Amino acid sequence: MPLAQLISTEHLQQRLGQENLLILDCRFALEDPAYGRRSYLDGHIPGAHFLDLEQDLSAPVVKGVTGRHPLPDPSALVERLRNCGLRADSQVVLYDDGPGAFAARAWWLLLWLGKREGLYLLDGGLKAWREAGQELTMAPPNNATGDFSAHPDNSLLLTADHLAQRLGNPDLTLIDARALPRFRGEVEPLDPIAGHIPGAQCAAFTDNLGSDGRFLPAETLRERFDDLRGERPVENLVAYCGSGVTACHNLFAMSLAGYPLAPLYAGSWSEWISDPARPIATGD
């Protein structure tokens, strides 16, 4: 079974109420951190629990040391997920407003903790659910306590020091999930320094989606990442972004395309620039 799986609105609707189904609402807005919880309380998919990017899916920021969304403490995240009812056999459906970046962050974190089966992203997210005329509710989900045991796999991670040692290696494929203007350093709305890590290629995560907001077919995604990689070994691919969130969207898309799960530089650009000794690049 592939690590990345999609579920349609129709199939999710048919599975609502199943005993081992766990739905996680991951909505968030960088410009309005309270947006996700507020939106969840205004209406969510029946049975869904809410996970907040900054409160649940990230650790506190350490100024000058970490990026904007450090990885959460595994034990704290596992406790939060157990309180949502996560078990080893849970079928987990993740969604956000539609692009899937915040849902993909939760997907990657679950993989990191050792949950490797029964993980789905709602294709098209809540936007697709609404467009299909499906039900929303303001009712809280049923209380449940799960027994999931975590085994964090740090082989899925790459530190800044390890990445710095690999810069200049002709076999390295380093892909940046941010939009092209940010990659080039033409604009930077979130971080104090613009640009990208030297040697990186721009692979905007939004290009994994069609005009309808759903993921492109697997073969199309395969062509996309094959073109970026060229003749370089697939084992030497590394993903990053601004803060370790949208890079997970590329990792999900690559997995859909049949790629093995590449490591994530979780600190990403916002951590990279915290050390002025680290090199930066601008332009293409």
Side-chain angles (χ1 to χ4, degrees):
M1 189 70 69
L3 296 176
Q5 298 183 78
L6 294 168
I7 188 169
S8 68
T9 56
E10 294 79 8
H11 286 152
L12 177 56
Q13 195 280 328
Q14 292 167 10
R15 295 174 64 177
L16 291 183
Q18 288 184 353
E19 197 241 339
N20 67 339
L21 178 67
L22 176 61
I23 306 174
L24 299 174
D25 183 319
C26 305
R27 283 178 284 175
F28 190 78
L30 294 173
E31 70 279 5
D32 180 6
Y35 163 82
R37 184 172 296 279
R38 185 173 67 246
S39 299
Y40 172 82
L41 294 173
D42 285 342
H44 51 268
I45 294 175
H49 295 256
F50 178 69
L51 292 180
D52 183 84
L53 174 64
E54 294 187 344
Q55 301 300 317
D56 301 314
L57 304 180
S58 304
V61 172
V62 180
K63 192 173 182 180
V65 177
T66 69
R68 285 181 280 106
H69 295 110
L71 292 184
D73 174 74
S75 59
L77 179 57
V78 168
E79 182 178 3
R80 179 73 183 91
L81 290 167
R82 285 176 180 164
N83 288 338
C84 293
L86 181 66
R87 306 192 310 252
D89 67 344
S90 292
Q91 299 292 297
V92 183
V93 175
L94 305 147
Y95 73 90
D96 53 32
D97 276 321
F102 305 117
R105 164 79 167 208
W107 166 83
W108 186 92
L109 288 171
L110 283 159
L111 290 178
W112 174 54
L113 293 177
K115 174 70 173 162
R116 298 296 174 94
E117 296 181 354
L119 294 179
Y120 301 85
L121 258 61
L122 178 60
D123 201 11
L126 196 65
K127 179 176 181 288
W129 183 264
R130 284 184 168 127
E131 288 174 349
Q134 302 289 9
E135 175 189 4
L136 292 178
T137 183
M138 297 170 65
N142 293 330
N143 290 326
T145 301
D147 59 1
F148 178 75
S149 295
H151 303 282
D153 182 1
N154 289 327
S155 70
L156 302 182
L157 291 166
L158 200 65
T159 66
D161 287 344
H162 287 147
L163 179 57
Q165 292 168 12
R166 294 177 64 180
L167 294 186
N169 183 335
D171 284 340
L172 175 66
T173 302
L174 180 61
I175 60 169
D176 185 325
R178 297 174 299 163
L180 188 57
R182 287 186 69 198
F183 175 86
R184 288 173 170 164
E186 297 168 353
V187 298
E188 184 44 71
L190 299 171
D191 294 309
I193 298 174
H196 60 266
I197 299 173
Q201 295 169 266
C202 182
F205 81 94
T206 50
D207 290 347
N208 296 322
L209 306 173
S211 59
D212 59 359
R214 292 172 171 82
F215 278 86
L216 295 170
E219 56 272 20
T220 305
L221 292 170
R222 181 83 194 197
E223 291 173 3
R224 180 187 190 210
F225 293 108
D226 282 350
D227 287 345
L228 287 163
R229 184 172 58 86
E231 299 299 320
R232 294 184 292 267
V234 68
E235 296 80 10
N236 289 356
L237 202 154
V238 176
Y240 85 100
C241 56
S243 66
V245 176
T246 58
C248 298
H249 198 281
N250 274 345
L251 291 171
F252 184 88
M254 283 188 281
S255 184
L256 277 178
Y259 270 67
L261 191 61
L264 169 70
Y265 170 36
S268 288
W269 180 249
S270 55
E271 180 192 68
W272 184 262
I273 58 175
S274 66
D275 184 347
R278 295 183 186 129
I280 63 172
T282 55
D284 292 325

